[in-house]
Structure formats: structure tokens, C-alpha cells
Amino acid sequence: EKMLLFIPGGKVPNHHYGPTAQAIQDAAAQDLRLWVVVPTVFKNLCVISCSAPFLCAPLHNTVEEALAVAKQKGWNRGKDDEDMWLAGHSLGGVCAN
């Protein structure tokens, strides 16, 4: 069981990624149980530079809240460094990096 955490692009509402997330899950279904989470980020923009912990806290909290919803729906959180992938579109990809 794996989790794909996908950070949306700048000014793109997370719900626009629903069909893409579903297609990724469907394509992976034969090989693994894949969950895809696309969190809503503040003002549809992620912070790409964290010079202080308080600057990254909103994104971190939003991600953890999205993962908590997935857990309530049945996702079993394993080891993040082994069972979770991080990706993003455009500015979200920069942020994910």
C-alpha cells in the first residue's frame, strides 16, 4: 500500500486534479493499492522556501490533515520514506522538491 501526495500547481484548485488522481490509481491497481491525496494549499499557492519553521507549518498541517482523511477512509500509513511518494504540478512540483 502506497500513498502519492500530489501538490497542486499555483492557482489551481485541488479538485481539478480528481480525474488525474483517479487515472493514476486505476493504472496502478493491478500492481499495488495506491492512494492519491491532493491537499488544498493556502490561496492555491505553496511556500517554496522555508527560511523558518513557521513558514512551512501551514503546508505541513494541510498535508497532515489530508493524510488523516485518507487514514479515516482506510489508508494504512506505513513508513513515509518507503511508502509515500511526493509529486506536484508546476509550482507544486517546485514546492514538493
Side-chain angles (χ1 to χ4, degrees), residues 5-58:
L5 175 61
F6 191 90
I7 307 296
K11 298 293 185 179
V12 182
N14 70 332
H15 68 271
H16 286 230
Y17 295 95
T20 301
Q22 186 62 57
I24 292 169
Q25 284 180 303
D26 293 346
Q30 287 185 335
D31 299 317
L32 62 104
R33 185 172 181 200
L34 178 67
W35 291 75
V36 180
V37 169
V38 184
T40 301
V41 294
F42 181 68
K43 293 188 178 183
N44 292 324
L45 292 170
C46 68
V47 175
I48 59 173
S49 178
C50 294
S51 56
F54 74 90
L55 292 175
C56 289

